[in-house]
Structures are given as C-alpha cells and as structure tokens.
Amino acid sequence: MEAAKDRIVSQAPEREPDRQRFFMDRCRELLRIKEQELGRKLTFNDQTFGCQMNFKDSEKLNGILEEIGYVHTDTEQADFVYYNTCTVRENANIRVYGRLGTLKTYKKKNKDMIIAMCGCMMQEEEEAERVKKSFTFVDIVFGTHNIFKLAELLYECLSRKQRVFDIWDKTDLIIEDLPSDRKFSFKAGVNIMFGCNNFCSYCIVPYVRGRERSRKPEDIVAEVEKLAAEGVVEVMLLGQNVNSYGKTLERPVSFARLLTMVEQVEGIERIRFMTSHPKDLSDELIGVMARSEKICRHIHLPVQSGSSRLLKRMNRHYTKEQYLELVDKLRSAMPDLSITTDIIVGFPGETEEDFQETMDVVRKAGYDSAFTFIYSKRSGTPAARMEDQVPEDIVHDRFDRLLEVVGETARQKNAALEGTTGLVLAESIDEKDPSMITGRLSNNNVVHFTADRSVIGKIVPVILEEARGFYYIGRLSEDGI
Ligand code: SAH
Ligand code: SF4
Ligand code: F3S
C-alpha cells in the first residue's frame, strides 16, 4: 500500500500548477471512495481571520476543496475545517486556540475529520511549533507562501494517514491558474502583489508575508478579463502597498499604468484598490484616478499617527505636513473623493501632544471613516522593544476621544450627501431587514435601500434619503441619476 502511494507521488508532474491539478484528481478519487462508504458528500468549512489578503487566499483554498469534491457548509461540524489565521495583533492566537478546542470535540464524533491551520500565524515558528506539540488533533499546517499546495498536502494526509507540516520561510513563486471560489458572482478581489517591504516598526506583516512581489501586468489583465467574462463588474486590486506595484518587475510598470490597463477591460464598471501607502502615492496616480470613469471615488490612505515624531519612529517615511498636502492634492483633483484611514493609538512614546496631532489630522483630512486600533505590542517587531510603552488607561482614554472625533467627522461628511442620488452596486439582502438591499456607492459608503432582490449584482441609482452615521437609508430611483 505504502509503495503504491509513493509510486503515485513519483508520477506527479514537477511543474505547477499541473502538479496540483494531478493531486486534486488523486484526492477526488480518495474522496469518492469515502463518499460511497458514508453514503453522502463530504463537507468543508473555513474560518478566516484578518485582512483582504487572507479572505482572498481562502477563496483560493475553497476553490481547490470544491474541485476535489468537498461541499461547503456553514458549520464547523464538517469533514474538513481550516483556520486561516491573522497575527497582526499580539493576542489573536489566544482566540484561535480557544476555538480550536471546540473542533476537538467535533473530531471525537467524526474520526475522519481533517483539521488544517494556515495563514500568517503559522508563519511564526513558535506558533507552528505549539500546534505541532499541543494540538495534536490538527492534521495539516501550512503557511502563507504555499497555499497553492493544499491538494498535495491533503493527499499526503489522506493517503498516509499522518500529520503534515509544510511551512516555507520565503518564496519568489507566484502560482497562477488554480481554481477559486468567489464569494460574490459580480465583484472580486484580484491580487496584484504579495508581501511587503516597508517594515513599519509596529507591524508583523513583512515577517509573515515575505518580500514584495508583483504579478506581471499581463497576468493581472488576463485574470480581470476572465472575471469580466464571468459577469464580474467590480474588481478590487489587492496589495499591502499598491502604490509600489511593479517596481521589482523585470520590466517595471507603475501602479497608475496598471490601472489604465485594467480600465480597458470591457464589462468592468468599477475598479477599487487597497491599500495605498502615502509615501508612494504619485501625481501620475492622482491624474489617472481623476480622469477615470471606472476608478471608484475612494482611497484608503492609512495615516497611523498625526505626529511627525511618531511617524518617524513608526518608519512611515512621511510627515504630518506631507500627508495633509497629499490629502489636499487629492481633494483638489477629486472634490467628491472619499478618504478613509487606519490610526494607531498608544504607539510607544506617544504623548498627549502627539495624540493631539493625530486629532488635528482627523479634523483636517475629513475622513469618511477610519479604522482605529489600540497599539498592540507585537513581539518580533522593533516597536515591541521600545522602552516607553504607554500605560493602558491613558491609551483607552485617548482611543475613546479619537472615536468621538472620527464619528463626528464621518457623520458630517455623510450628511452632506443626504437627499442626493448615487449609483450603488447592489450586493446582498440586508442582514437586518430582508425587505431591503445592501450595496455600496462608488465612494465605498454603505446604503440600505428598498428594492427588489433582482437588482443584486447591478449598479442602480438610489436616492440617499437619510444619512445615519456611517451609512445611508435610501430607495431605488425610478428616474435614473
Ligand atoms: N499594509 C497596510 C496595512 C496592513 S495591517 C498599510 O500599510 O496600510 C492593517 C492595519 O493594522 C494597519 O494599517 C495598522 O493600522 C494596524 N496595525 C498593524 N500592526 C499593528 C499593531 N502592532 N498594533 C495595532 N495596530 C496595528
Ligand atoms: Fe505593515 Fe507597514 Fe507593510 Fe502596511 S506597509 S503591511 S503597516 S509594514
Ligand atoms: Fe493579518 Fe496577515 Fe493580513 S497578519 S492583517 S491576515 S497579512
């Protein structure tokens, strides 16, 4: 038996993605036998934490699992469950390990259940080691660099009935053309680059996602064309710092140039991107955005802090003044642009004066919304070794004050559009009120509006009747825009 399995592995093509296609076929065969034995289909469930990158990776993993023959289920009482982890904050692991305990009880009831762990947390040696030693019911562990290998790892696990650990500390591979199961049929995320080279002093991402690698523009355009052919109208171009896209390619291409190429794809009506690092945002990009009919009127431009002194310690490479100048430039080129941001409160050494500088930026930049984070001392990063960590009660007090100003600014911005009509991509049935539809304006603001569910997936004119903080209540306009 063992020898037969080894023979199968030795027949696998060397080249990717052919190799993975081969293992998907082999897994499918094994699954069929199991299905017959059980008299039912096998199910899978994914638990995804963290940012857009992880959600995009999960779509790829789900695509592979479906290709193999697993059927998605909403419950963790499934035949295959994976946790795609995030580690951007220090204590994220406590939550994940807590939840893993529940899986153990499910596995007792279903002996053949397979549990996998992947994502950013598994790129940390001590976390992978902990899973190996203390969570022996976890069958497969892999990292961020080899998600494309899921079928091969699963085959190894199924055929040898043993635990599989495969974590790479880096890669320069970009494997294309594997299945992907998209959450929405009409909008999709598209990776344009992987990794990050910025090493902001508080951030773990460069350590767990590796060095920056850009996909070739022709591959990106080909993927967008394929998506358009499948009915996608909105694409979100994804990268940790899209503004530095293309710099490391053999034939360098700017992000602005890439946007003009994506714009030409017929059928694509909206283009979004995230995230923009302020230090690399070019005039060329502002020009392309301002001229474009398709690029959405929204930019996510994380400021992190308003204090130039702290920005230096954060290794962000811009000052408060440079950031505000950039905001001015964007606003004069596109008066209807919505700007959102990320802010960290309580970075080591933050004084009340530094914090006031952040409050000042929030007021001056006029954000449509902001993600606010309490600084988390992420071990392994330079900031974790800084001595002057800010006491918790002071951080919480600042955080509350910041939330108030952010909320107030957002309310003012949103109220300004009350009564107008805007184009909304209808995305889903409203979670709270099933008679309503939820969608997004070009500026990324959420609108809940009365309409028939047949509008889902379409871009429709909606009268924004009432601004409620971060979102609108509206109704479908009969007379167009
Ligand atoms: N590449 C993106 C951000 C990725 S992480 C960018 O540079 O904008 C998303 C957000 O998490 C960051 O913008 C930052 O605000 C926050 N973050 C990262 N590390 C953090 C830490 N140690 N503590 C608190 N917030 C953190
Ligand atoms: Fe982290 Fe900075 Fe890279 Fe963003 S740009 S992922 S905050 S290191
Ligand atoms: Fe988290 Fe990894 Fe994203 S650490 S924020 S999931 S890149």
Side-chain angles (χ1 to χ4, degrees):
M1 192 68 178
E2 270 309 288
K5 296 276 156 59
D6 283 340
R7 216 165 35 243
I8 287 175
V9 173
S10 69
Q11 284 165 4
E14 287 282 319
R15 266 174 60 130
E16 298 291 5
D18 304 354
R19 185 175 174 85
Q20 297 313 313
R21 294 256 171 222
F22 172 90
F23 281 111
M24 281 182 233
D25 292 342
R26 300 292 82 74
C27 285
R28 197 180 304 115
E29 290 163 5
L30 294 180
L31 233 66
R32 262 200 212 125
I33 299 171
K34 201 78 214 161
E35 280 170 10
Q36 273 164 6
E37 206 179 295
L38 298 171
R40 63 169 177 86
K41 284 273 186 193
L42 275 81
T43 57
F44 81 93
N45 176 265
D46 69 293
Q47 298 295 322
T48 305
F49 306 83
C51 68
Q52 301 267 1
M53 299 294 158
N54 264 16
F55 282 88
K56 179 71 201 174
D57 284 350
S58 288
E59 288 188 353
K60 295 178 182 173
L61 294 169
N62 292 355
I64 295 171
L65 290 170
E66 281 171 3
E67 186 77 23
I68 289 171
Y70 283 101
V71 181
H72 182 265
T73 170
D74 286 332
T75 137
E76 285 177 62
Q77 295 196 48
D79 298 297
F80 184 101
V81 178
Y82 73 84
Y83 276 22
N84 191 358
T85 58
C86 169
T87 189
V88 85
R89 264 162 283 281
E90 182 76 2
N91 292 327
N93 52 2
I94 298 175
R95 228 178 87 203
V96 167
Y97 293 133
R99 283 181 59 167
L100 263 183
T102 335
L103 286 192
K104 190 177 180 181
T105 59
Y106 296 156
K107 194 164 177 166
K108 276 198 184 123
K109 285 187 228 152
N110 176 3
K111 292 264 177 306
D112 293 324
M113 180 177 181
I114 294 176
I115 301 174
M117 298 271 287
C118 60
C120 296
M121 198 184 283
M122 293 304 104
Q123 287 296 141
E124 293 178 274
E125 225 173 287
E126 73 246 50
E127 299 301 339
E129 213 33 54
R130 167 136 42 142
V131 173
K132 198 174 211 167
K133 288 215 183 80
S134 313
F135 297 89
T136 49
F137 55 94
V138 174
D139 305 282
I140 304 176
V141 177
F142 55 105
T144 56
H145 299 305
N146 58 345
I147 59 156
F148 71 93
K149 261 187 87 176
L150 175 62
E152 183 169 350
L153 303 178
L154 180 61
Y155 180 77
E156 220 173 299
C157 176
L158 288 172
S159 62
R160 293 180 177 274
K161 306 231 179 304
Q162 66 184 27
R163 304 177 81 198
V164 180
F165 286 78
D166 191 11
I167 296 155
W168 302 358
D169 60 357
K170 61 176 192 289
T171 187
D172 44 24
L173 283 179
I174 296 178
I175 309 289
E176 319 259 356
D177 295 327
L178 279 167
S180 178
D181 167 41
R182 287 186 281 107
K183 192 169 166 224
F184 296 97
S185 59
F186 49 86
K187 67 169 193 172
V190 175
N191 293 117
I192 62 164
M193 59 206 295
F194 302 94
C196 181
N197 282 355
N198 291 307
F199 291 95
C200 301
S201 63
Y202 49 82
C203 184
I204 197 79
V205 171
Y207 306 90
V208 293
R209 286 269 166 184
R211 291 298 60 72
E212 191 175 293
R213 308 175 298 289
S214 293
R215 283 176 74 192
K216 288 194 206 114
E218 54 271 30
D219 291 340
I220 297 169
V221 170
E223 181 173 338
V224 175
E225 280 169 347
K226 188 163 163 275
L227 290 168
E230 289 167 11
V232 166
V233 293
E234 179 180 301
V235 287
M236 161 88 91
L237 308 181
L238 296 171
Q240 293 295 355
N241 175 10
V242 292
N243 296 329
S244 74
Y245 168 79
K247 289 188 178 156
T248 51
L249 284 171
E250 219 168 281
R251 273 177 293 150
V253 179
S254 70
F255 178 55
R257 176 86 193 95
L258 175 73
L259 279 173
T260 60
M261 293 162 85
V262 172
E263 260 195 308
Q264 281 160 28
V265 178
E266 226 169 288
I268 296 298
E269 294 178 51
R270 280 184 170 183
I271 304 168
R272 300 187 182 280
F273 53 84
M274 87 187 272
T275 298
S276 280
H277 195 306
K279 80 176 162 71
D280 297 310
L281 200 150
S282 67
D283 290 348
E284 186 196 9
L285 174 65
I286 299 176
V288 166
M289 280 182 85
R291 276 193 300 277
S292 174
E293 294 280 319
K294 292 187 177 181
I295 302 172
C296 287
R297 284 294 184 256
H298 171 226
I299 193 157
H300 187 62
L301 196 63
V303 65
Q304 313 297 2
S305 167
S307 153
S308 298
R309 191 180 72 86
L310 286 193
L311 286 168
K312 196 162 187 353
R313 277 167 63 108
M314 288 177 164
N315 197 27
R316 291 289 289 181
H317 296 281
Y318 54 86
T319 61
K320 175 190 181 189
E321 290 69 31
Q322 285 166 332
Y323 183 89
L324 286 174
E325 246 170 63
L326 195 55
V327 168
D328 277 348
K329 237 198 269 181
L330 284 161
R331 288 222 187 278
S332 37
M334 292 164 279
D336 55 344
L337 182 73
S338 135
I339 304 180
T340 57
T341 201
D342 291 349
I343 301 170
I344 297 177
V345 181
F347 183 80
E350 184 186 77
T351 62
E352 180 60 25
E353 287 70 42
D354 293 318
F355 176 66
Q356 285 306 330
E357 300 273 16
T358 300
M359 297 279 261
D360 190 42
V361 168
V362 173
R363 290 193 193 98
K364 289 192 171 132
Y367 295 119
D368 284 70
S369 75
F371 294 102
T372 46
F373 302 99
I374 285 182
Y375 167 73
S376 167
K377 186 177 167 182
R378 206 48 213 77
S379 49
T381 64
R385 293 188 295 273
M386 292 179 185
E387 273 165 13
D388 33 8
Q389 306 282 331
V390 185
E392 218 173 289
D393 53 334
I394 295 183
V395 178
H396 281 280
D397 173 59
R398 286 181 192 159
F399 187 75
D400 292 344
R401 284 187 281 154
L402 177 66
L403 273 191
E404 219 164 282
V405 178
V406 164
E408 189 43 44
T409 320
R411 264 189 295 280
Q412 279 171 16
K413 293 289 292 188
N414 286 8
L417 285 186
E418 210 172 55
T420 64
T421 302
L423 287 173
V424 172
L425 172 58
E427 296 188 350
S428 56
I429 293 169
D430 187 349
E431 277 176 19
K432 289 207 188 104
D433 178 353
S435 73
M436 293 182 96
I437 300 294
T438 299
R440 276 172 199 273
L441 290 161
S442 166
N443 74 7
N444 210 36
N445 276 341
V446 171
V447 186
H448 304 288
F449 61 105
T450 40
D452 189 85
R453 63 182 58 181
S454 63
V455 298
I456 291 177
K458 297 194 184 115
I459 296 175
V460 290
V462 174
I463 305 167
L464 309 174
E465 296 185 282
E466 193 191 338
R468 288 196 191 157
F470 289 100
Y471 64 91
Y472 298 97
I473 299 292
R475 75 181 150 84
L476 198 63
S477 159
E478 304 297 335
D479 336 309
I481 191 111

